[in-house]
Amino acid sequence: MDILFKDPVTGKLMERVDVVDTRANRELGFLEGSNSLDCLKIGNHTLDTDLYELTMTAGYLVSGKGEQKACFDLYYRQNPDDGGFCIFAGLESAIRYINHLKIYPDDLDYLAGLGIFTRKALERLSKGIRFSGDIWAVPEGTVVFPNEPLIRVTGPIAEAQILETTLLAIVGHQTLIATKAARLKLATRGAPVVDFGTRRAHGVEAALYGARAAYIGGCEGTSNVMAGKLFGIPVRGTHAHSWVESFDKEIESFEAFAKVFPDNCVLLVDTYEVVEGVRNAIRVAKKMRKAGKALQGIRIDSGDLAYYSKIARDMLDEAGFPEVKILASSDLDEWLIETLRDQGARIDIWCVGTKLMTSYQTPALGVVYKLMAADSKDGNLIPKIKISENPEKVTNPGVKKIVRFYNLKGRMMGDLLTDVNEKIPQGVPVVAHHPMYDYLKKSYKPPYHAKEIMIPVFEKGRQVYDPPPLSQVKAHAEEEVGRLEAETKRFINPHIYKVSLSDTLYDIKKQLLTWHQLNHANAPKEKSGKRRPAPAPSHVSTTNDGAGKR
């Protein structure tokens, strides 16, 4: 593939163009045709996927099923860290990904070279892939629970299928980190948490979007400079032990740092011995005060954090510096933070790295993307079910929305999955069925408030939702966590928040399970010995998924 630049005025073809900063009147560099394609592909993640998404997409297109309408749900099965909830994050990234779907000529060249795709398959893929369907999702920062759709994708099956892997990667990672940050904020009981995890993240992109997710979940700031630049997150940092070691004396390193950063001076006091480090920090704080400046804080990165933070607080207060903050780091997580607080640790700001940015105890969220309905030949969506010997993996069929119930105090009571066209219940008793166990039911009795929590994001391929500023997403997440009962937020054996099925969805699931069981047991055998399946029950079809009634 040969790429050149074209002058839009003269039509002249050029091999390279210079990039100039007109404000500073200086050249920043140049672009050649070969590397300009990389610029065009920024934000394009079409090939950041599993091979089988492309083979299935090509298979649908070649076999004439590409336009078959289908509905997929993206959800997760279990809360991380045996917790009681998650914070949904990643929607803005998902929107950007979908808007940049495109297969470029060099992508087709690569796929052709694999020797997997037929000429006809490559021809169909070369016509391009653009999502033309509908997407509903819960807003970013919303508290969510297992087995309810975070994103609902409805459209031509080829277009909906290709989204699977990348959406799972985006949403799974960012939701996991946002949830961890929320748990950390609960552990500190409102004290600031700062993300220090960039160096331990699984790559720089994971660090970047992890910092964004951590901010949504409750972190006050991040050490990640690019996240600060791109997302407006406050950036925070001190200095490393290497700064102190590079000087002959610790006090000299503190004085030098305070001189260079007089308005943002936080000193790391544990390079050699914590108590002496605090003494040296106090000496520098006194000099700064005489110069009209103020020491912002000290950081302890090792040793017994409870013990040393109490000693440091006493020393700072006695020296007349009660305003100097004590920061702590050193492999912190929510359980250790709770323990330190119970021991009376005098820590003002908690700096969490590895355990936050890798979600250390649960490094992956079990997100899945399952077909819930597909159109029959009359254009209606028929519920589909995935059956498993593991009850948790049996899907909840149908085109669904989430109805959330609140008590009179505004606290969350439970979620009900309903068909998209069911009315939102108000003022009447509601029976809610357990998704797996027939004998378990829940009843919502008035007074309560119920509302749908999913919103339209794409309609007929057009983005209809503008993501709010990140600060609003963060505030929404904080409000959402505040609506949870305390029992759901505890770290050990939290209360299990109920996600149930409406009467309609419960009946659909039972009918499909019964049909599959009877069909397997009673289907007549063909000459080959295989059983011939009976037609699926048509009476369990749902209506087309449009905007839904909210």
Side-chain angles (χ1 to χ4, degrees):
M1 182 171 59
D2 295 325
I3 299 176
L4 297 174
F5 295 98
K6 183 179 181 180
D7 188 313
V9 177
T10 66
K12 180 182 177 181
L13 297 178
M14 299 173 290
E15 293 184 354
R16 56 172 275 178
V17 294
D18 295 330
V19 181
V20 179
D21 178 357
T22 56
R23 288 185 306 172
N25 192 28
R26 64 173 181 172
E27 289 190 9
L28 300 178
F30 64 89
L31 286 176
E32 294 179 328
S34 58
N35 58 27
S36 64
L37 189 59
D38 294 333
C39 298
L40 284 176
K41 286 186 172 184
I42 290 176
N44 180 287
H45 294 288
T46 308
L47 291 197
D48 289 325
T49 188
D50 291 317
L51 176 64
Y52 82 168
E53 309 293 6
L54 288 164
T55 55
M56 282 191 290
T57 298
Y60 290 137
L61 293 171
V62 172
S63 63
K65 287 174 61 70
E67 295 301 315
Q68 179 186 12
K69 194 174 182 182
C71 176
F72 290 85
D73 282 356
L74 185 153
Y75 61 99
Y76 70 97
R77 294 192 175 113
Q78 184 176 355
N79 290 319
D81 297 331
D82 294 323
F85 66 94
C86 272
I87 300 291
F88 175 58
L91 180 58
E92 185 174 312
S93 298
I95 291 170
R96 190 181 307 112
Y97 155 63
I98 292 167
N99 281 330
H100 286 81
L101 271 178
K102 188 172 184 177
I103 295 180
Y104 286 86
D106 63 322
D107 298 332
L108 287 169
D109 292 342
Y110 169 73
L111 295 177
L114 293 176
I116 296 172
F117 295 88
T118 64
R119 180 178 57 82
K120 184 173 286 189
L122 292 168
E123 285 177 358
R124 294 305 303 267
L125 290 174
S126 70
K127 294 180 180 179
I129 293 177
R130 187 186 72 83
F131 184 71
S132 62
D134 302 329
I135 293 179
W136 284 59
V138 296
E140 242 182 326
T142 300
V143 164
V144 292
F145 302 94
N147 299 309
E148 60 187 16
L150 312 183
I151 298 177
R152 186 181 75 226
V153 179
T154 307
I157 193 167
E159 299 171 13
Q161 182 70 67
I162 200 169
L163 303 180
E164 177 183 8
T165 296
T166 311
L167 284 182
L168 291 174
I170 291 170
V171 170
H173 171 244
Q174 294 190 41
T175 298
L176 189 67
I177 304 306
T179 304
K180 192 68 168 181
R183 288 168 58 83
L184 289 164
K185 191 67 180 289
L186 289 172
T188 69
R189 300 171 199 171
V193 180
V194 178
D195 154 38
F196 267 25
T198 295
R199 65 185 58 197
R200 300 291 171 79
H202 299 152
V204 292
E205 187 166 289
L208 177 64
Y209 288 97
R212 181 184 182 277
Y215 187 67
I216 290 172
C219 283
E220 180 270 341
T222 180
S223 65
N224 190 303
V225 178
M226 184 59 77
K229 179 183 178 181
L230 293 181
F231 307 130
I233 302 172
V235 289
R236 301 285 183 261
T238 57
H239 61 76
H241 297 109
S242 57
W243 172 267
V244 178
E245 294 173 70
S246 70
F247 291 81
D248 292 334
K249 296 181 179 180
E250 183 180 58
I251 186 70
E252 293 174 356
S253 72
F254 288 178
E255 290 170 341
F257 196 80
K259 185 176 181 179
V260 178
F261 302 102
D263 298 316
N264 188 32
C265 185
V266 178
L267 301 173
L268 181 61
V269 297
D270 72 314
T271 302
Y272 303 119
E273 201 278 320
V274 174
V275 174
E276 185 59 28
V278 176
R279 288 196 187 101
N280 284 330
I282 291 171
R283 294 182 182 112
V284 170
K286 291 177 178 178
K287 291 183 180 180
M288 293 180 70
R289 179 175 285 176
K290 289 180 180 179
K293 301 296 180 180
L295 177 66
Q296 299 295 308
I298 63 170
R299 178 164 69 99
I300 305 171
D301 187 51
S302 61
D304 189 325
L305 297 180
Y307 173 76
Y308 282 120
S309 67
K310 287 185 277 189
I311 288 180
R313 183 75 274 158
D314 289 343
M315 292 174 66
L316 289 165
D317 290 352
E318 289 174 9
F321 296 98
E323 75 283 359
V324 173
K325 304 296 184 184
I326 297 176
L327 291 73
S329 46
S330 185
D331 286 332
L332 297 170
D333 61 26
E334 58 267 47
W335 296 282
L336 179 54
I337 289 172
E338 270 201 331
T339 300
L340 290 169
R341 289 192 64 91
D342 290 343
Q343 294 168 16
R346 303 295 300 278
I347 295 166
D348 301 299
I349 300 173
W350 303 81
C351 307
V352 187
T354 304
K355 303 294 177 68
L356 166 62
M357 199 49 58
T358 65
S359 185
Y360 193 81
Q361 290 83 4
T362 306
L365 185 65
V367 282
V368 293
Y369 187 84
K370 296 297 182 182
L371 181 73
M372 295 298 178
D375 99 38
S376 59
K377 294 181 180 179
D378 62 3
N380 288 326
L381 284 169
I382 300 296
K384 300 289 184 178
I385 191 167
K386 160 71 174 71
I387 296 178
S388 171
E389 293 181 0
N390 183 344
E392 280 107 11
K393 290 191 174 184
V394 177
T395 57
N396 296 314
V399 184
K400 302 178 290 295
K401 63 187 178 186
I402 308 169
V403 177
R404 180 158 289 173
F405 288 81
Y406 301 86
N407 62 22
L408 294 182
K409 295 181 180 179
R411 298 290 177 86
M412 299 177 193
M413 300 169 62
D415 288 358
L416 184 71
L417 304 184
T418 77
D419 180 86
V420 286
N421 290 309
E422 289 187 68
K423 292 182 178 180
I424 307 295
Q426 296 293 350
V428 296
V430 177
V431 175
H433 300 266
H434 192 285
M436 290 183 286
Y437 305 115
D438 291 343
Y439 65 92
L440 290 178
K441 292 181 177 64
K442 181 178 176 67
S443 179
Y444 295 101
K445 298 178 180 179
Y448 60 74
H449 171 65
K451 71 172 185 178
E452 181 180 357
I453 65 171
M454 300 183 81
I455 55 172
V457 180
F458 285 86
E459 291 180 357
K460 296 181 179 179
R462 183 175 62 90
Q463 182 183 335
V464 296
Y465 170 76
D466 290 325
L470 191 59
S471 58
Q472 289 185 24
V473 178
K474 177 181 175 66
H476 174 60
E478 183 176 5
E479 180 183 0
E480 285 277 293
V481 173
R483 289 177 176 271
L484 286 171
E485 297 287 0
E487 295 86 349
T488 307
K489 294 185 280 191
R490 66 179 176 238
F491 299 150
I492 299 175
N493 295 327
H495 170 74
I496 298 175
Y497 185 93
K498 305 301 188 296
V499 176
S500 310
L501 301 181
S502 68
D503 284 333
T504 299
L505 289 185
Y506 173 78
D507 288 343
I508 289 172
K509 186 171 185 177
K510 291 296 293 182
Q511 289 166 9
L512 281 175
L513 285 171
T514 300
W515 175 77
H516 277 282
Q517 290 166 351
L518 293 175
N519 186 66
H520 178 75
N522 301 324
K525 290 186 178 181
E526 299 176 342
K527 291 182 179 180
S528 63
K530 295 182 179 179
R531 295 190 181 275
R532 185 170 65 252
S538 59
H539 59 282
V540 297
S541 63
T542 61
T543 56
N544 287 334
D545 179 28
K549 295 181 180 179
R550 303 178 64 203

